[in-house]
Amino acid sequence: MDLSSYATVLPIVIICYLIGCGCKVIKRMPNKYIPIIVGIAGGILSIPAIKIMPDFPATDVITAVSVGIMSGLTSTGINQVFKVIKEK
């Protein structure tokens, strides 16, 4: 599998990133729950992505949910990268 097939999960990463930003707006929610929320959101978003995205890197639901969870957690890592760059 080449690297271009992973570009199809970029929309899931972006949506999960926006969900995480939305969770930051809610002041009562501790930051430790945000990775869990975006991971679950990624898993849920990946299920319809199998049918909608023709180049999605999974063919069955279990693999798609795994890819979605990792995409959601990737959005947390991207947030941390931006945070470190902004501090410097």
Side-chain angles (χ1 to χ4, degrees):
M1 185 180 317
D2 59 8
L3 193 58
S4 65
S5 65
Y6 287 105
T8 58
V9 298
L10 187 61
I12 295 175
V13 174
I14 293 170
I15 292 169
C16 289
Y17 180 79
L18 294 174
I19 289 171
C21 289
C23 290
K24 291 287 242 182
V25 173
I26 302 171
K27 298 295 182 186
R28 295 183 183 154
M29 181 177 300
N31 287 339
K32 65 181 180 180
Y33 296 125
I34 294 175
I36 297 168
I37 292 169
V38 296
I40 291 171
I44 292 169
L45 288 169
S46 67
I47 296 171
I50 299 172
K51 302 292 182 190
I52 296 170
M53 298 177 174
D55 295 333
F56 195 73
T59 55
D60 61 314
V61 176
I62 299 295
T63 307
V65 170
S66 300
V67 169
I69 290 170
M70 291 308 297
S71 298
L73 294 175
T74 300
S75 70
T76 305
I78 291 171
N79 181 36
Q80 293 301 310
V81 168
F82 287 147
K83 186 176 176 182
V84 169
I85 290 172
K86 192 169 81 171
E87 288 176 0
K88 291 186 178 188

